[in-house]
Amino acid sequence: MPSPTKEGTEAGATIEEATRFSPKFGPDGTLPAVAICAQTGEVLMLAYMNDEALARTLETGEAHYWSRSRGKLWKKGETSGNVQKVVELRTDCDQDAVLLKVEMIGSPAACHTGRRSCFYRVAEMGGAADGKDGSFGPLRFVDAERLFDPETVYGAE
Amino acid sequence: MPSPTKEGTEAGATIEEATRFSPKFGPDGTLPAVAICAQTGEVLMLAYMNDEALARTLETGEAHYWSRSRGKLWKKGETSGNVQKVVELRTDCDQDAVLLKVEMIGSPAACHTGRRSCFYRVAEMGGAADGKDGSFGPLRFVDAERLFDPETVYGAE
């Protein structure tokens, strides 16, 4: 197995040990991108990137994503002003996911609901959470304070 | 907009404010699951769960995933012994991703390469990383020490 620190050609290197970034996008042309706070390491959000979003992120140092619901490239903060400055971008062993260390410019809230993180609800462990009725049980709100008013920032729906 | 702490019926609650866990699986029946260390908050890995993997995780308190490459349910640690005890499971605003706070049982290495985290390579920012040749530039190994030998644990390929 090649040395993890060895530079050189990719001949024979597995995807896990490769020294070139050759991301594996999924069938829809995207891969998941996890954004964490560069200072605290908190997980802020998970979104998706296609090749263009990834290229623009690497070129500009500002996070760009692909909106699967709107079918368009999306610069984080283009509406809210809450841009994500990318301090570091990592890929994983299989090169089918990326991790971004970001500094939030403007509000520290990364979630479109105005919250710091998109992960503000805890699912109950144990019990009959079998999903047979389409539900996996109750959710409990934590760290759910709103740091901005989404209606003010994005307009009423 | 409903109060974030309000319990009650789901009538009229948006997916973002819902108090029931009704995960939105993708077209392939899975959603991404990010595992972080319960003690340090480090991002360890990103894998996928289908409804069965999610149900078993909630029921047993041990992380189960869906292997997209092998097309089967997979209990983390079933081969390596490095089980993930799930301390907390959160969902995100759109309920189409989950975040697991885990305690690693056995080795602290979550990656099948023997490393602590799957995110052990940094992509170079800036430059002509346009992906036009299928590559987005060089990768640099960081935090890439192997904590176990994958050949010993999983056998030679």
Side-chain angles (χ1 to χ4, degrees):
Chain A
M1 205 167 270
S3 158
T5 54
K6 186 180 165 190
E7 291 289 332
T9 71
E10 291 298 278
T14 61
I15 189 89
E16 291 94 340
E17 304 307 320
T19 57
R20 297 289 298 178
F21 187 20
S22 305
K24 304 293 170 254
F25 297 99
D28 68 350
T30 74
L31 51 69
V34 178
I36 67 175
C37 173
Q39 281 80 42
T40 64
E42 286 167 273
V43 176
L44 300 174
M45 56 183 279
L46 185 148
Y48 291 85
M49 290 184 173
N50 65 354
D51 54 357
E52 187 183 358
L54 181 57
R56 292 223 189 158
T57 300
L58 289 169
E59 282 162 18
T60 65
E62 294 180 331
H64 290 68
Y65 300 101
W66 177 258
S67 170
R68 299 187 303 171
S69 58
R70 288 177 289 152
K72 65 187 282 268
L73 190 76
W74 158 57
K75 177 184 163 183
K76 176 70 181 168
E78 66 188 3
T79 304
S80 67
N82 304 332
V83 170
Q84 292 179 336
K85 184 181 168 196
V86 180
V87 175
E88 188 181 272
L89 189 149
R90 295 189 181 198
T91 190
D92 73 346
C93 47
D94 299 326
Q95 297 207 31
D96 58 5
V98 294
L99 179 68
L100 286 72
K101 293 187 186 177
V102 304
E103 287 175 10
M104 295 292 301
I105 309 298
S107 169
C111 182
H112 76 287
T113 65
R115 298 179 174 100
R116 168 72 167 152
S117 165
C118 297
F119 294 93
Y120 52 82
R121 284 174 295 184
V122 173
E124 193 170 283
M125 302 291 294
D130 62 5
K132 289 209 173 94
D133 64 348
S135 165
F136 285 77
L139 290 173
R140 180 168 51 84
F141 284 73
V142 288
D143 308 326
E145 183 195 1
R146 288 184 205 271
L147 306 180
F148 66 76
D149 174 7
E151 281 196 22
T152 305
V153 170
Y154 299 107
E157 280 178 27
Chain B
M1 205 167 272
S3 158
T5 54
K6 185 180 165 189
E7 293 288 332
T9 71
E10 292 297 279
T14 61
I15 188 90
E16 290 94 340
E17 305 307 321
T19 57
R20 296 290 299 178
F21 187 20
S22 305
K24 304 291 169 256
F25 297 99
D28 67 350
T30 73
L31 51 70
V34 179
I36 67 175
C37 173
Q39 280 81 42
T40 65
E42 286 167 273
V43 176
L44 300 175
M45 57 184 280
L46 185 148
Y48 291 84
M49 289 184 175
N50 64 355
D51 54 356
E52 188 183 358
L54 182 57
R56 291 224 191 158
T57 299
L58 289 168
E59 282 162 18
T60 65
E62 295 179 331
H64 291 68
Y65 301 101
W66 177 257
S67 169
R68 299 187 303 171
S69 58
R70 288 177 290 153
K72 64 189 281 269
L73 190 75
W74 158 56
K75 177 184 163 183
K76 176 70 180 167
E78 66 189 2
T79 304
S80 67
N82 304 332
V83 169
Q84 291 179 337
K85 184 182 168 196
V86 180
V87 175
E88 189 182 272
L89 190 149
R90 295 189 181 198
T91 189
D92 72 346
C93 47
D94 298 326
Q95 297 208 31
D96 58 4
V98 295
L99 178 68
L100 286 73
K101 294 187 185 175
V102 304
E103 287 175 10
M104 296 292 301
I105 309 300
S107 169
C111 182
H112 76 288
T113 66
R115 298 178 173 100
R116 168 73 167 151
S117 164
C118 297
F119 294 94
Y120 52 83
R121 284 175 295 184
V122 173
E124 192 169 283
M125 302 290 295
D130 61 5
K132 288 209 173 91
D133 64 349
S135 165
F136 285 77
L139 291 173
R140 180 169 50 85
F141 283 73
V142 289
D143 309 326
E145 182 196 0
R146 287 185 205 270
L147 305 180
F148 67 76
D149 174 7
E151 281 196 22
T152 305
V153 170
Y154 298 108
E157 279 179 27

